[in-house]
Amino acid sequence: MTPGPKPHEAQSLRSDAERNRGRILAAARTVFERDGLGASMASVAREAGVGIATLFRHFGAKEDLIAAVFADRMDAYVTAVGEALDTPDPWAGFTGFIEAICAMQATDRGFADVLTTTFPAAEGLEERRAAASQGFLELVDRAKDSGQLREDFASQDLVLLLVANAGVVAFAGDTVPDAWRRLVALVIQSFQAPARGPLPAAPADDALYEAMLRAGAASIASRERGSIT
């Protein structure tokens, strides 16, 4: 029987593995922030200076890597809801939350994508998303009860804003880095009561969820197969 590694060798292997995992996470943050979730696993491996096989030993699927990279950002997303709910003025809490998360999108293209996609297998990430969504519904109710948010505002309108903001962030890049601020200001003004006019019906929840699923699947599949070899 082949003897196993000696204790000091085993410790060295664990240390190497931990270092590689840290390098992969740091590289993924850089790549996803710069290129969005469509960046390939091969590009992350190159940035980390490891082989693609090493990357997949640590993260068996791209979804696993995305969940690990953005766990802290999703925690910040939930925290932002809590801080908004603690704001005494309902309108200030509502608008402050929208501005905060759109700013988070603007500083991280990958997170801009995360907020407009869904990854059912990444349970921790989706639990945070659900917690933030529940808090946002409370913000909406408070703002409507105060008479400051138009009555026909729907929670789906936030998803549409985040999709639009992600598009502006990707389009403007470093050339016009603050373009998103004008978009968000214009949209927030349109949310305020009294309403200036009627709106078309909001998209159905299940249809929006299907669109987010499709976007997530596209991000996972994007450029992967041709990049691994």
Side-chain angles (χ1 to χ4, degrees), residues 95-151:
T95 59
F97 172 69
I98 289 176
E99 289 166 351
I101 59 173
C102 287
M104 291 169 69
Q105 283 188 305
T107 58
D108 188 331
R109 186 175 167 190
F111 190 62
D113 291 343
V114 167
L115 287 181
T116 57
T117 56
T118 189
F119 306 96
E123 293 181 2
L125 188 152
E126 293 306 320
E127 286 171 3
R128 292 173 175 89
R129 190 195 309 277
S133 296
Q134 184 58 45
F136 180 67
L137 292 177
E138 294 181 43
L139 287 174
V140 169
D141 288 342
R142 290 199 324 161
K144 285 185 177 181
D145 290 343
S146 73
Q148 296 168 292
L149 177 63
R150 58 187 300 159
E151 281 298 322

Side-chain angles (χ1 to χ4, degrees), residues 5-25:
K6 296 177 181 179
H8 71 278
E9 293 173 336
Q11 178 61 41
S12 178
L13 289 172
R14 285 194 295 271
S15 297
D16 287 345
E18 289 171 3
R19 280 194 296 272
N20 281 338
R21 179 182 173 85
R23 290 166 64 184
I24 290 167
L25 285 172

Side-chain angles (χ1 to χ4, degrees), residues 62 94 111 142 168 174 186 207 212 223 225 227:
K62 189 176 181 182
F94 174 80
F111 190 62
R142 290 199 324 161
V168 169
D174 295 334
L186 287 167
M212 293 174 71
R223 298 188 287 179
R225 293 305 169 197
S227 303

Side-chain angles (χ1 to χ4, degrees), residues 18-211:
E18 289 171 3
R19 280 194 296 272
N20 281 338
R21 179 182 173 85
R23 290 166 64 184
I24 290 167
L25 285 172
R29 288 188 182 99
T30 297
V31 171
F32 290 148
E33 179 179 330
R34 181 186 67 220
D35 302 331
L37 299 187
S40 70
M41 292 287 268
S43 66
V44 173
R46 285 193 297 271
E47 181 76 23
V50 301
I52 192 71
T54 297
L55 190 157
F56 277 108
R57 277 198 298 273
H58 288 277
F59 300 98
K62 189 176 181 182
E63 197 165 14
D64 300 329
L65 180 59
I66 291 171
V69 168
F70 292 104
D72 59 342
R73 301 290 279 169
M74 290 300 286
D75 285 339
Y77 183 36
V78 176
T79 298
V81 176
E83 292 174 348
L85 287 170
D86 288 339
T87 302
D89 181 81
W91 180 248
F94 174 80
T95 59
F97 172 69
I98 289 176
E99 289 166 351
I101 59 173
C102 287
M104 291 169 69
Q105 283 188 305
T107 58
D108 188 331
R109 186 175 167 190
F111 190 62
D113 291 343
V114 167
L115 287 181
T116 57
T117 56
T118 189
F119 306 96
E123 293 181 2
L125 188 152
E126 293 306 320
E127 286 171 3
R128 292 173 175 89
R129 190 195 309 277
S133 296
Q134 184 58 45
F136 180 67
L137 292 177
E138 294 181 43
L139 287 174
V140 169
D141 288 342
R142 290 199 324 161
K144 285 185 177 181
D145 290 343
S146 73
Q148 296 168 292
L149 177 63
R150 58 187 300 159
E151 281 298 322
D152 56 356
F153 177 88
S155 60
Q156 298 95 319
D157 293 326
L158 176 64
V159 179
L160 297 179
L161 170 56
L162 294 177
V163 171
N165 194 49
V168 169
V169 169
F171 167 78
D174 295 334
T175 306
V176 195
D178 289 334
W180 68 274
R181 295 184 184 278
R182 185 171 179 86
L183 168 70
V184 173
L186 287 167
V187 174
I188 285 176
Q189 289 180 31
S190 75
F191 290 161
Q192 194 167 13
R196 273 63 174 179
L199 293 172
D205 280 331
D206 56 351
L208 270 185
Y209 181 73
E210 181 65 29

